[in-house]
Amino acid sequence: MTDNIILDVKDLNVAFHKRDGSTYAVNGISYTLHEGETLGVVGESGCGKTVSSMSLLKLISMPPGKIEAGSAIYKGDVDLIKLTNKQLRPYRGREISVIFQDPMTAFNQVMTIGDQMIEGYVEHFRCSKKDALKEAQRLMEMTGIPEAGTRLKDYPSQFSGGMRQRAMIAMALMCRPNILIADEPTTALDVTIQSQILDLMKDLKKKLGTSIIWVSHDLGVVAGLADTVNVMYAGTIVETAPVDDLYYRPMHPYTTGLLNSLPSTNIDVEQKRLSSIGGYPPILNHKLTSCPFAPRCNVASEICRKECPSLREVGKGHKVACFNA
């Protein structure tokens, strides 16, 4: 990881407006991504992890989705949020690529893996299909798919779940992107295949130096992969810190609750019952005017119910949005 910032997101707000009401999915998040850094984004379902990441390339349904405010400065000079869909085309796949959560639905089932892999490559680099297939085969081999030349002619249904995910990773890397957004890519896999995919991502990061935004609800996966972690709740970032600092010194009550809900594999530690976070996540049908975690928090005070806390620095690279941290 270098000190060079490749992506600078500021005050990003995303909402979905429907006839029966609005949902304010992302509420003013700000963060930076450095060259070669892996940024973990964690939180429970519905907290805005995927929406905040997919909004960078406007890969949400618009309408009903709408990016209401904010900026995402790429390489210091291009605001991705201000670009139209047409203007974003050179960036999608080429500069920033996505590994989707479920490759079975992300792949087109009536096209071969090879045809899908080379489509974007031919578009961006204006090369021949033959040259594109050579690059596809090289990446398939790099991601550990045997007999890659033959498998390029197969359809997604002919691949196992783990192999489909490897093919999805290879396709995302086809255009050698600077940023890779991985949207819970190991969720549907068993733990053995999951471990193989994580080892693969670590190896590819070393070889290619790609910056990664790793979206996940699995804190164990993020602990072994990320350099920095953003913890999201109710469309906000409630804590951000270097991975070791976050796991050993969590400051936000929500982060502490998440970590306490994890089972321990340390035989030297007395085993206790897993704790859960009481209550329910908020319904985001109005803009936040107070701390969204206050109704579930055991240290909430009067100010928490009246004001929405902003991120403040409590250590080197460690920020928390809490009045009582």
Side-chain angles (χ1 to χ4, degrees):
M1 185 177 73
T2 71
D3 292 331
N4 296 328
I5 295 175
I6 193 170
L7 182 68
D8 187 6
V9 177
K10 290 184 178 178
D11 196 31
L12 181 64
N13 287 262
V14 183
F16 293 85
H17 301 290
K18 299 181 180 180
R19 290 182 179 179
D20 58 348
S22 299
T23 300
Y24 297 92
V26 180
N27 299 293
I29 68 170
S30 300
Y31 63 89
T32 57
L33 178 69
H34 295 79
E35 290 182 358
E37 178 183 19
T38 297
L39 173 66
V41 183
V42 301
E44 59 197 63
S45 297
C47 70
K49 306 185 301 293
T50 295
V51 172
S52 63
S53 300
M54 296 303 165
S55 297
L56 301 176
L57 294 175
K58 297 186 178 177
L59 296 179
I60 59 172
S61 298
M62 300 172 65
K66 182 181 179 182
I67 301 175
E68 300 200 313
S71 62
I73 308 300
Y74 175 68
K75 285 190 171 181
D77 58 358
V78 178
D79 187 353
L80 300 173
I81 302 301
K82 290 183 178 179
L83 300 182
T84 64
N85 278 320
K86 184 177 180 180
Q87 292 170 330
L88 270 172
R89 289 189 68 180
Y91 294 91
R92 290 174 176 160
R94 176 65 184 92
E95 302 287 339
I96 305 173
S97 195
V98 179
I99 303 171
F100 294 98
Q101 181 173 349
D102 184 3
M104 192 64 187
T105 56
F107 277 121
N108 187 325
Q109 300 304 308
V110 297
M111 291 177 64
T112 65
I113 291 288
D115 284 343
Q116 294 182 69
M117 287 188 67
I118 69 173
E119 189 175 19
Y121 190 84
V122 171
E123 173 71 20
H124 286 298
F125 293 100
R126 303 296 179 184
C127 66
S128 67
K129 183 176 179 179
K130 182 179 179 181
D131 289 340
L133 284 171
K134 284 183 180 179
E135 179 66 8
Q137 181 175 340
R138 184 184 73 83
L139 283 168
M140 291 265 278
E141 291 169 350
M142 184 187 293
T143 53
I145 297 177
E147 301 179 356
T150 302
R151 299 310 304 268
L152 284 169
K153 301 173 185 177
D154 289 341
Y155 292 87
S157 60
Q158 294 174 272
F159 280 62
S160 66
M163 286 297 137
R164 270 195 300 271
Q165 195 58 277
R166 289 172 184 268
M168 175 65 68
I169 293 170
M171 186 166 73
L173 295 171
M174 272 293 291
C175 296
R176 299 184 289 275
N178 292 312
I179 298 176
L180 192 61
I181 299 173
D183 182 21
E184 304 202 40
T186 60
T187 298
L189 305 177
D190 62 61
V191 291
T192 303
I193 303 301
Q194 185 181 89
S195 177
Q196 293 174 5
I197 295 297
L198 293 176
D199 289 340
L200 170 64
M201 292 300 296
K202 292 176 186 177
D203 188 46
L204 290 174
K205 180 185 173 183
K206 289 180 181 178
K207 290 179 179 178
L208 305 176
T210 307
S211 302
I212 301 173
I213 299 176
W214 187 276
V215 178
S216 180
H217 66 272
D218 192 326
L219 290 162
V221 168
V222 171
L225 189 68
D227 300 305
T228 308
V229 183
N230 287 345
V231 181
M232 289 193 67
Y233 184 80
T236 66
I237 295 175
V238 296
E239 187 165 7
T240 181
V243 62
D244 289 341
D245 201 15
L246 186 93
Y247 281 74
Y248 287 107
R249 199 170 67 98
M251 300 293 287
H252 197 280
Y254 177 63
T255 309
T256 303
L258 287 179
L259 293 174
N260 286 341
S261 68
L262 292 176
S264 175
T265 57
N266 190 344
I267 61 175
D268 297 325
V269 176
E270 181 184 353
Q271 296 299 307
K272 300 178 181 178
R273 287 180 61 89
L274 296 179
S275 63
S276 61
I277 302 173
Y280 299 93
I283 299 173
L284 300 175
N285 55 5
H286 57 80
K287 293 187 177 181
L288 298 177
T289 57
S290 61
C291 175
F293 190 64
R296 306 173 72 184
C297 183
N298 56 10
V299 297
S301 56
E302 191 63 28
I303 191 174
C304 304
R305 299 176 179 89
K306 293 181 178 179
E307 297 182 26
C308 192
S310 56
L311 282 172
R312 60 185 177 89
E313 193 156 359
V314 292
K316 186 177 181 181
H318 195 155
K319 298 179 180 179
V320 61
C322 180
F323 294 115
N324 300 309

